Amino acid sequence: MPAPAFGAIAAQVLGVGIATLDIINEVAAYPGEDAEVRALAQRRVRGGNVANSLVVLAQLGHRCRWVGTLGDDPAADLILADLACYGVATGDAVRIAGGATPTSYIALSRATASRTIVHFRDLPELDAAAFAGCALEGVGWVHFEGRHPPETRRMIDRVRAECPTVPVSLELEKVRPGIEALLDGPQVLLASRAFAAASGFTDPAAFLADLAARTSASLCVVAWGEQGASCLVRGGAVQQVPAHRPARVVDTLGAGDVFNAGVIDALARGLAPAEAVAAAVRLAGEQCGRIGLTLEVE
Ligand code: ADP
Ligand code: FRU
């Protein structure tokens, strides 16, 4: 079976999902329970899976637009200002009166570069009614997070009905009730190792074979941390790409978001799926060698 073709990129990438305030404490080593440690440095930055992926895509030269919910607090202002700095359009963002922007409290270990995230959110998710107000003209790719399944289902249906030729990708980061309902429609599924593990799999190839049997997507991808990533084109064999190791791994926060952006970028530029995953592994690996998500674009 021929590999799916996705090339479409003068057009805009629309990302639907969360934006967060990340309060990142760099610590010498991850503390034990009930410990008290001093942070070596602290940063307050924009985070969130889709927002992070869009920032990477914007740096790779794509026109990007974010839609999701925010509170009406200073954290929301910080996020909007940061996205504006990268040229990510935010005109469709929904600010919830009295709402608090989701916040992640993150310990980034200098010893291992691991990131431990405590995420707090108490904000309504974007719903299909709000998404119905977002124009789809000029959009060449839509990327969703696999959250809030009933509403996301309706949003995917709208894109597929109004723009049947526009590729849709879906991130599967966590197993959530009803998430199965999202597997029909997107052409590209981007799963995490945590999603595979929560689905009962310890082997990426077995996970992908199972996922491919449950979806209409033509490409299923799973990122596997320091072991790289694997992909399966419908009707083909699983392909594994070993991780790309930078000189020194210093920051793995958002590696999955960078990886997802790398896959979308490469597919949109017309690369074949396995090459796209290899490009994304390289991009994410390089980024693990730098603090934050500002790329060194050549
Ligand atoms: P998440 O941020 O969702 O936990 P992963 O840890 O799976 O995502 O990382 C996503 C991608 O980033 C991996 O597929 C891999 O290509 C790259 N990556 C992650 N950790 C490392 C690492 N320690 N060294 C090199 N590459 C890494
Ligand atoms: C990293 C990240 C953080 C955010 C958290 C949300 O992948 O997007 O920026 O706080 O995940 O789950």
Side-chain angles (χ1 to χ4, degrees):
M1 178 177 279
F6 291 106
I9 221 29
Q12 188 180 57
V13 180
L14 173 62
V16 184
I18 63 165
T20 62
L21 171 66
D22 286 359
I23 302 176
I24 305 168
N25 285 310
E26 287 184 35
V27 290
Y30 186 72
E33 184 169 346
D34 207 29
E36 181 181 335
V37 296
R38 185 169 289 208
L40 303 173
Q42 188 183 75
R43 289 178 287 133
R44 297 164 66 86
V45 296
R46 170 235 67 255
N49 297 11
V50 157
N52 284 344
S53 295
L54 288 173
V55 158
V56 173
L57 283 161
Q59 292 174 83
L60 293 172
H62 298 265
R63 285 198 301 122
C64 294
R65 176 155 62 114
W66 173 71
V67 57
T69 57
L70 289 171
D72 63 358
D73 48 6
D77 297 331
L78 178 151
I79 289 165
L80 291 172
D82 182 83
L83 290 173
C85 274
Y86 287 98
V88 177
T90 57
D92 295 311
V94 177
R95 289 190 79 153
I96 311 248
T101 294
T103 302
S104 292
Y105 302 87
I106 300 169
L108 176 62
S109 164
R110 284 200 184 162
T112 63
S114 78
R115 85 298 181 267
T116 302
I117 305 176
V118 177
H119 182 63
F120 177 71
R121 64 172 296 122
D122 180 22
L123 189 75
E125 304 268 2
L126 187 80
D127 59 25
F131 184 70
C134 302
L136 296 178
E137 287 76 33
V139 170
W141 192 291
V142 187
H143 177 56
F144 288 98
E145 278 178 30
R147 51 196 306 127
H148 206 18
E151 295 297 319
T152 304
R153 176 70 265 163
R154 288 163 60 194
M155 296 186 230
I156 292 172
D157 286 343
R158 176 188 170 215
V159 176
R160 302 294 292 134
E162 290 183 26
C163 321
T165 59
V166 169
V168 172
S169 51
L170 175 74
E171 179 196 59
L172 298 170
E173 191 200 31
K174 293 189 179 66
V175 172
R176 302 177 200 274
I179 199 143
E180 285 283 319
L182 303 182
L183 301 184
D184 186 36
Q187 290 94 330
V188 180
L189 298 182
L190 298 163
S192 70
R193 175 165 49 175
F195 184 90
S199 310
F201 291 91
T202 52
D203 171 50
F207 166 71
L208 287 174
D210 177 78
L211 183 63
R214 294 185 285 127
T215 176
S216 59
S218 48
L219 174 63
C220 297
V221 182
V222 65
W224 215 263
E226 62 292 339
Q227 288 172 48
S230 300
C231 67
L232 178 55
V233 175
R234 176 161 299 285
V238 172
Q239 292 177 281
Q240 206 269 333
V241 179
H244 168 79
R245 297 191 190 283
R248 194 165 146 250
V249 177
V250 295
D251 183 2
T252 58
L253 177 63
D257 307 334
V258 177
F259 176 81
N260 289 348
V263 173
I264 293 168
D265 167 64
L267 291 174
R269 286 190 287 110
L271 269 66
E275 280 80 61
V277 172
V281 160
R282 183 168 184 87
L283 186 75
E286 281 294 312
Q287 204 53 36
C288 290
R290 291 189 285 270
I291 294 280
L293 297 188
T294 302
L295 307 188
E296 277 175 17
V297 183
E298 287 133 34

